[in-house]
Amino acid sequence: MHPIELIRTEGAVQFAFLVADEGYTGPESTERGIVYRRADLAVEVEFFDYCGRDLCVGTNLVAYDAEAERPRRSIHLENAYVAHGLGPPQDVPGSAQILRAAGKSLVLQAQALRRLIAFLKQRDPGRTQAPGRAQAPAPARPVSWFQS
């Protein structure tokens, strides 16, 4: 199995909470993996390339400008996780020597994203409503991902 197929299958399972609990749509297949979207945010789970002999998979958090349909800012999940003091970079591994380990990286990245979202909701509960969803909570406004 190619790493992109792994992301499309295993990543879709691990990140399904974004649709079920956080008001995102998706996953949509992309050239390098999958993406989940809201009006103002996207979560991209991708195969980046081979890092030497290792496979590199990662999760990007992308903020969109409401008027322009282009990204305003993005950050790797690992960087946001560490910047908010949630743990070391090793909690969000992105490289693996074998495909099975890359699958485990996806599990750990999804866990790290859940933890980041929970942290942001606790820190700023007044700004966690997903657009168009009366009951379901959503992650804090995108700026919260980029500023501690």
Side-chain angles (χ1 to χ4, degrees):
M1 176 183 293
H2 191 276
I4 293 174
E5 270 312 302
L6 174 75
I7 289 170
R8 289 181 180 153
T9 57
E10 183 65 24
V13 170
Q14 296 304 321
F15 289 85
F17 73 94
L18 290 170
V19 175
D21 303 332
E22 306 299 336
Y24 286 77
T25 61
E28 298 170 31
S29 290
T30 66
E31 186 176 314
R32 299 188 313 181
I34 57 176
V35 63
Y36 292 87
R37 298 182 193 278
R38 272 188 9 188
D40 55 346
L41 300 170
V43 176
E44 302 170 338
V45 184
E46 300 180 325
F47 168 67
F48 292 110
D49 209 341
Y50 291 92
C51 306
R53 293 183 300 184
D54 291 352
L55 305 168
C56 292
V57 296
T59 302
N60 290 314
L61 311 173
V62 183
Y64 283 86
D65 188 336
E67 287 81 41
E69 294 183 9
R70 60 185 178 84
R72 179 177 51 158
R73 200 164 181 193
S74 68
I75 188 170
H76 291 287
L77 173 60
E78 173 188 331
N79 295 337
Y81 186 86
V82 171
H84 287 290
L86 297 174
Q90 294 84 353
D91 287 356
V92 193
S95 65
Q97 293 183 349
I98 60 173
L99 199 58
R100 186 174 185 178
K104 179 67 174 170
S105 292
L106 292 173
V107 171
L108 295 172
Q109 288 178 28
Q111 289 172 353
L113 182 56
R114 282 181 187 264
R115 190 167 178 206
L116 176 62
I117 290 170
F119 169 80
L120 294 173
K121 285 179 181 179
Q122 182 180 15
R123 186 184 80 177
D124 195 3
R127 292 193 282 176
T128 59
Q129 186 63 42
R133 302 235 349 197
Q135 301 285 324
R141 291 190 340 198
V143 70
S144 295
W145 282 354
F146 305 105
Q147 298 174 349
S148 35

